[in-house]
Amino acid sequence: MKRKISKPQYEFLKQEFTFLEQQGKLDSRNTQDILELYEPKGATNFVRLLLVFGAILVGVGILSFIAGNWNGLTPYSKFGLILITFVLSYIAGYKLEPNYERTSRSMYYIGAAIYGAGIFLIGQSFHLDHAVYTDFLLWSVGILPLAYYLKDQLLAVFASTFLIIYSFTAFETGGFGPYWLLLMLPILFWMNEKRLGRRGSIFIMSVLLATAFIVNTLESLYVDEWISMLIIFAGGLLLALFPVKHYVTESSWIGSILFGVTGIMLTFPFSWRELPFDNVFPFIFTGLFIILLIYFLRKDSLPAILITCALIYRYYTDITYDFMPKSLFFIIGGLLLITFGFWFEKSRRETVKRHEE
């Protein structure tokens, strides 16, 4: 079985082997034999994309057929039809797995889609009294074992997304709250570390899920918004300053996004409306925020450039929109965005050049 590596890694190996061949350390036959042990992932992206969309269309078609004949079926026949199509999809995936891995995976995707939609349809059929957020929790719990078995990044991302939706149970009247995430969060982190190969996308989704859990839990406890935003601001700042090992780039970006978004929100007076002297706190925080951004800019942080641009544009819009002619407002705003884009591209090129040196 060939080892799958990224396309840049494959190109790097080709260049190195060509160099060794020119130096007389390898002959052309050995170079070709070694390269055949590797397979660039980019070569199969189109096939996988085709199969994923095919699985989605088949899943939607099956569910459309079931939904179209919904009124003519008894509750138990509805349940049986969904169960049979779900089981058949998984059996087909299992049978195809040894020889047709990607086609097999599309069968599993169909089963996962039918499973999730079946939760909603069965709940309606049997008039089950529960919130829609619980359905997303059940959907996630059902496909996480499949993601573990297949080592599938896409399924894990979908499961994380469903858990984020479930975290909004905080907005239910008299709801239990998103406390099941206290169990699901460690499971997701553990799966990524031990089974999924430390995927950056799963790490980002885990951080977003933890953020959603914190925000919505604080909401269910009626904590003031400015406190929630400050907590997320502090968490994002810590993640950007002290990135997690194996996820340095991901930590820097997601941490910067968290403290950048909450930081800009905290520059608005409405974020501090629960406090006395709410017109003073935005200016104090903005001053500290600017000092923090200067620190990151001196470290050549690309996310800090984007945050700085967003902050400048926020104040430009706030100050000039009501007083400047609209045509001039849009022209200057567009020129500002172009300038910001040039600044970001120039900084990125310089950063890449320094790393290459």
Side-chain angles (χ1 to χ4, degrees):
M1 182 179 292
K2 295 185 178 183
R3 178 173 180 178
K4 296 178 182 179
I5 57 176
S6 66
K7 199 167 183 179
Q9 289 175 326
Y10 186 80
E11 293 298 326
F12 174 77
L13 286 177
K14 281 183 67 175
Q15 291 176 4
E16 291 301 304
F17 290 152
T18 302
F19 171 75
L20 292 173
E21 188 178 331
Q22 293 171 351
Q23 297 297 315
K25 304 297 182 181
L26 287 174
D27 58 38
S28 58
R29 180 178 297 177
N30 288 336
T31 300
Q32 190 62 32
D33 290 342
I34 296 173
L35 278 175
E36 286 180 356
L37 297 173
Y38 298 89
E39 179 182 5
K41 293 179 182 177
T44 62
N45 281 347
F46 174 74
V47 176
R48 184 175 182 184
L49 189 64
L50 195 66
L51 290 170
V52 169
F53 275 109
I56 292 172
L57 291 176
V58 171
V60 169
I62 293 172
L63 294 172
S64 177
F65 171 78
I66 296 173
N69 297 277
W70 199 246
N71 294 330
L73 299 173
T74 65
Y76 290 101
S77 60
K78 296 172 185 176
F79 176 79
L81 187 57
I82 291 171
L83 181 63
I84 289 171
T85 54
F86 164 69
V87 172
L88 287 177
S89 298
Y90 273 30
I91 291 175
Y94 181 77
K95 293 294 184 182
L96 291 169
E97 194 171 344
N99 299 316
Y100 301 96
E101 181 183 352
R102 295 177 185 85
T103 305
S104 163
R105 195 152 297 203
S106 67
M107 294 297 105
Y108 283 122
Y109 291 160
I110 292 172
I114 293 172
Y115 166 76
I119 293 173
F120 292 91
L121 294 174
I122 290 169
Q124 292 178 3
S125 179
F126 289 91
H127 305 289
L128 300 179
D129 187 18
H130 63 273
V132 67
Y133 299 112
T134 305
D135 292 335
F136 283 104
L137 172 65
L138 295 174
W139 197 351
S140 177
V141 170
I143 64 175
L144 271 178
L146 182 62
Y148 179 87
Y149 169 70
L150 296 175
K151 299 181 181 178
D152 193 284
Q153 177 182 194
L154 183 62
L155 284 173
V157 168
F158 271 108
S160 306
T161 304
F162 298 150
L163 288 174
I164 289 174
I165 296 173
Y166 161 72
S167 73
F168 288 92
T169 51
F171 298 103
E172 289 180 19
T173 303
F176 177 70
Y179 299 117
W180 277 107
L181 293 182
L182 290 174
L183 175 63
M184 302 307 298
L185 265 169
I187 290 175
L188 193 61
F189 274 108
W190 175 80
M191 280 181 57
N192 193 33
E193 290 293 316
K194 300 299 182 182
R195 185 69 178 176
L196 299 176
R198 291 174 174 165
R199 302 279 188 168
S201 60
I202 308 301
F203 172 79
I204 291 172
M205 292 303 296
S206 299
V207 173
L208 293 176
L209 178 57
T211 303
F213 170 71
I214 293 171
V215 170
N216 290 309
T217 300
L218 293 174
E219 176 71 23
S220 67
L221 298 174
Y222 303 103
V223 175
D224 290 342
E225 288 184 4
W226 68 273
I227 297 177
S228 298
M229 285 190 283
L230 277 180
I231 291 173
I232 301 304
F233 177 85
L237 182 58
L238 288 173
L239 201 57
L241 289 172
F242 307 103
V244 179
K245 188 180 179 182
H246 305 301
Y247 306 103
V248 175
T249 302
E250 292 85 355
S251 296
S252 174
W253 275 95
I254 193 64
S256 298
I257 290 171
L258 290 176
F259 87 75
V261 171
T262 52
I264 291 175
M265 289 177 65
L266 286 166
T267 62
F268 288 95
F270 70 81
S271 299
W272 307 89
R273 58 180 175 267
E274 291 89 355
L275 294 175
F277 310 109
D278 57 330
N279 290 326
V280 176
F281 284 103
F283 294 104
I284 297 174
F285 179 83
T286 301
L288 296 174
F289 191 37
I290 290 173
I291 294 172
L292 179 65
L293 288 176
I294 291 172
Y295 168 77
F296 277 103
L297 289 172
R298 290 176 64 87
K299 294 180 65 177
D300 298 325
S301 170
L302 294 180
I305 295 175
L306 294 178
I307 298 169
T308 304
C309 294
L311 183 64
I312 293 172
Y313 205 82
R314 167 255 186 277
Y315 276 105
Y316 164 75
T317 304
D318 192 37
I319 294 172
T320 63
Y321 185 79
D322 291 331
F323 303 101
M324 187 180 291
K326 295 301 176 284
S327 58
L328 187 60
F329 168 82
F330 287 116
I331 290 172
I332 295 177
L335 291 174
L336 272 176
L337 290 177
I338 293 172
T339 303
F340 294 156
F342 172 76
W343 180 21
F344 180 78
E345 184 178 7
K346 182 174 180 293
S347 301
R348 186 176 60 180
R349 288 179 181 273
E350 291 175 353
T351 301
V352 171
K353 185 177 179 180
R354 280 195 296 271
H355 287 167
E356 289 177 347
E357 292 174 353

